[in-house]
Amino acid sequence: MAAFVDRVTLHATAGNGGHGCVSIKREKFKPLGGPDGGNGGNGGDIILRVDPQVTTLLDFHHLPHRKAGNGEPGKGGLRPGKQGQDLILGVPAGTVIKTRDGDILADLVNVGDEFLAAAGGQGGLGNAAIASDKRKAPGFALLGIPGQEQDVVMELKSVADIALVGYPSAGKSSLIAAVSAARPKIADYPFTTLVPNLGVVQAGEVRFTVADVPGLIPGASEGKGLGHEFLRHVERCAAIVHVLDCASLESDRDPITDLETIEAELASYEADSTFAGTDGTIVPLVERPKLVALNKVDMPDGKDMADFVRPELESRGYQVFEISALARDGLRDLSFAMAKLVEEARASRVVETPVVEVPVIRPRSVNKREFYIRREEQNLEPLWRVIGEKPERWIMQTDFRNDEAVGYLADRLAKLGVETQLFKAGAKPGDAVVIGVEENSVVFDWEPTMAAGAELLGSRRGEDVRLEDRGARKTREEKRAEHEDRKAAKAAARDELEAERRAGIWTESVHAKAAERKAKQRAQEDQ
């Protein structure tokens, strides 16, 4: 018999994106084929989907670590890499997805409901996609982004209309076996039922589901017995049926005391927001509609005990039914009473008309902050941290072994405005700048004089001369002064040539050469 597991921790790892390809087209008689590296494929996602054939989380208990397929790297000839295969995991209806801290991420109730547990990484661009008018043959490509890793807690809460609660051996399993086709384990010792059992009951034209919750004892809401583990299966139920044992062999127990003990445990248990009304309010378990079933009235002294406690229970406002699950007495009236509560609960639910969202195309906000800079200190030295989705993603896409790729990263950061914001924030040359979070951060010494532009002529593919001899490079002011000196020297040379032309030096020299050429020709003709 398969074990029942209703709470597991899933370690989901999505697929990594494939790296872009660096390739140059080589074909006979076509020496300038250009870049033709393809893009890498995206990594696969991990999706949790409600499957009606799955009733337990046992598979996740045995295999808690799941990983989706990786995207393939790009290939030459503009061939993209294959996309990573998504991993779709079936979960039972009623599965609640939470974080380790208890925050609810999703509540999967209906068949087909899905939750993205981990998103696959984005594939890197090949050098063909990076090429531009100024960077015609890139010697690098973007790397694929690693897939998302996330730990989620999955809790199974039975999707039932009626919950049967009571002390161990009160006859809950016998009752659900008598009114439905469920066949739970039945024995004459406490805690026979170790897992919740579900049964479908047909009362007239109403069909509803009944859940048999394992026996509760004093302190169940604090972790004693089995009730703390399975009280969560009561949260979705619209009504509760107290099954009281009228033929208990324990001298210190009676139906009234058992009812008060179970009510106290239900009141102590805090239902989370997975069961909420149409207005979003959470109905505590102790405030939901209840019925009382006095079981085992066919046993000796069972009928007398039921007649003795029934007036007291009715005076407290409970609707009481005397039944015998073993002899199948009184079950019809109890079934129709449960069906009435289910109908009232279903009628009270407001079915909202689904709203079809019409996509609205809005221009991109010009004031949207792509990143922000935070000043920190490390070893009494200033440290500037750049935090933003784009800079952090660009860091993961950069191959720092390739100088040209690092230069391309500098171009992107400068175009985004990182250098300008560092100036405004008060950063000075030589300060440490960190991009990204601690796990994947990159630290470098900031040099504002580093020119961020297109690919420089004269550098070999895969290299960037801006990263060579950083300390010997001239500043912008020095380069501007040299440019002005060259302009002045060219202007002076032009003025000198113009003066020589006006003085007739160029004209005389030209005439003399022409006269000498003509004299040589006459001499040759005379000979």
Side-chain angles (χ1 to χ4, degrees):
M1 180 178 178
F4 180 84
V5 177
D6 64 345
R7 191 178 191 276
V8 294
T9 299
L10 173 65
H11 308 278
T13 304
N16 301 328
H19 301 330
C21 177
V22 181
S23 175
I24 301 297
K25 186 175 182 180
R26 293 175 174 85
E27 189 174 349
K28 191 175 183 180
F29 306 120
K30 292 184 180 180
L32 301 177
D36 65 346
N39 302 333
N42 297 329
D45 302 331
I46 295 184
I47 302 174
L48 304 178
R49 179 183 297 172
V50 176
D51 187 351
Q53 302 299 326
V54 180
T55 59
T56 179
L57 301 176
L58 181 63
D59 292 342
F60 300 98
H61 176 72
H62 294 309
L63 297 174
H65 297 270
R66 301 297 179 93
K67 190 178 187 307
N70 297 329
E72 292 184 355
K75 306 175 183 63
L78 299 176
R79 291 175 297 172
K82 187 178 179 180
Q83 305 287 338
Q85 186 176 3
D86 296 338
L87 180 60
I88 301 177
L89 305 175
V91 296
T95 303
V96 180
I97 312 299
K98 299 182 178 180
T99 63
R100 285 186 174 272
D101 299 332
D103 298 331
I104 298 176
L105 300 176
D107 188 6
L108 309 180
V109 179
N110 303 316
V111 176
D113 290 350
E114 294 182 352
F115 172 73
L116 181 61
Q122 180 182 356
L125 298 179
N127 64 341
I130 303 174
S132 62
D133 294 340
K134 297 182 180 180
R135 184 179 286 105
K136 298 183 181 298
F140 67 98
L142 299 185
L143 304 180
I145 298 178
Q148 182 183 8
E149 296 184 12
Q150 185 175 209
D151 294 344
V152 295
V153 178
M154 298 190 295
E155 292 184 355
L156 176 59
K157 299 184 180 183
S158 300
V159 183
D161 300 301
I162 301 292
L164 304 180
V165 298
Y167 258 75
S169 297
K172 300 183 297 299
S173 299
S174 300
L175 176 58
I176 196 173
V179 298
S180 68
R183 292 295 175 264
K185 182 180 180 181
I186 300 174
D188 58 351
Y189 55 85
F191 299 110
T192 306
T193 303
L194 300 178
V195 300
N197 297 302
L198 293 178
V200 179
V201 181
Q202 184 76 33
E205 297 181 354
V206 182
R207 176 176 294 182
F208 56 93
T209 308
V210 179
D212 168 23
V213 182
L216 305 179
I217 62 174
S221 60
E222 300 176 358
K224 295 183 179 180
L226 300 177
H228 182 262
E229 293 296 328
F230 298 109
L231 268 174
R232 67 172 67 96
H233 295 272
V234 189
E235 293 184 6
R236 299 185 188 274
C237 299
I240 297 175
V241 176
H242 288 278
V243 182
L244 304 180
D245 188 358
C246 291
S248 176
L249 300 178
E250 301 179 22
S251 58
D252 57 343
R253 282 182 50 197
D254 61 83
I256 300 294
T257 305
D258 293 352
L259 176 63
E260 293 175 350
T261 301
I262 300 302
E263 285 284 289
E265 295 304 323
L266 295 178
S268 300
Y269 182 79
E270 296 182 359
D272 59 26
S273 59
T274 55
F275 185 91
T278 56
D279 55 352
T281 58
I282 303 174
V283 181
L285 299 180
V286 72
E287 297 181 6
R288 299 183 189 178
K290 302 182 188 65
L291 298 177
V292 173
L294 299 176
N295 193 21
K296 302 181 183 180
V297 295
D298 59 327
M299 300 288 290
D301 300 331
K303 179 64 175 176
D304 297 337
M305 177 61 73
D307 294 337
F308 178 75
V309 300
R310 180 166 186 164
E312 175 65 21
L313 295 175
E314 291 179 344
S315 64
R316 297 187 182 186
Y318 293 103
Q319 189 176 1
V320 183
F321 296 87
E322 297 181 6
I323 64 170
S324 173
L326 183 61
R328 299 178 181 269
D329 294 335
L331 300 183
R332 178 178 174 82
D333 295 338
L334 178 61
S335 299
F336 278 90
M338 290 189 294
K340 183 180 179 180
L341 293 180
V342 172
E343 280 187 319
E344 294 176 354
R346 292 175 180 175
S348 62
R349 298 173 186 171
V350 179
V351 180
E352 299 181 357
T353 304
V355 179
V356 179
E357 298 183 359
V358 180
V360 179
I361 300 177
R362 296 184 177 89
R364 184 178 179 182
S365 176
V366 295
N367 297 326
K368 182 180 179 181
R369 296 181 60 185
E370 299 286 355
F371 66 95
Y372 66 93
I373 297 175
R374 184 176 64 197
R375 187 182 189 279
E376 302 176 1
E377 287 190 3
Q378 185 177 17
N379 299 329
L380 301 179
E381 295 292 336
L383 183 142
W384 306 90
R385 187 177 298 276
V386 181
I387 302 175
E389 180 183 356
K390 280 189 176 181
E392 295 177 10
R393 184 176 72 249
W394 293 346
I395 287 296
M396 291 187 290
Q397 292 177 332
T398 302
D399 182 8
F400 288 93
R401 298 171 299 179
N402 189 303
D403 292 343
E404 191 178 352
V406 178
Y408 178 70
L409 173 63
D411 295 346
R412 303 175 83 179
L413 294 177
K415 186 177 181 180
L416 189 63
V418 174
E419 183 172 335
T420 304
Q421 293 299 324
L422 286 173
F423 266 120
K424 293 181 179 180
K428 298 180 180 179
D431 289 351
V433 176
V434 182
I435 300 179
V437 294
E438 294 296 338
E439 292 77 7
N440 299 316
S441 61
V442 175
V443 185
F444 61 93
D445 294 334
W446 182 50
E447 294 184 12
T449 58
M450 181 175 179
E455 184 180 15
L456 301 180
L457 298 177
S459 60
R460 293 178 296 177
R461 183 175 293 111
E463 297 180 354
D464 195 323
V465 296
R466 291 175 294 177
L467 304 178
E468 301 176 0
D469 300 331
R470 297 182 180 181
R473 287 203 309 271
K474 299 178 181 179
T475 62
R476 292 178 180 175
E477 290 75 9
E478 294 175 348
K479 292 180 179 180
R480 189 177 296 108
E482 289 184 355
H483 180 65
E484 294 297 336
D485 292 341
R486 287 195 298 268
K487 289 174 60 178
K490 289 180 180 180
R494 285 194 296 267
D495 294 341
E496 183 179 357
L497 292 175
E498 181 65 18
E500 292 179 353
R501 187 187 67 80
R502 291 180 179 179
I505 299 177
W506 288 3
T507 304
E508 292 178 358
S509 60
V510 172
H511 291 332
K513 291 181 179 179
E516 183 179 357
R517 192 181 308 112
K518 290 180 180 180
K520 289 183 179 179
Q521 290 179 357
R522 291 193 190 99
Q524 291 177 358
E525 292 176 356
D526 294 341
Q527 291 179 0

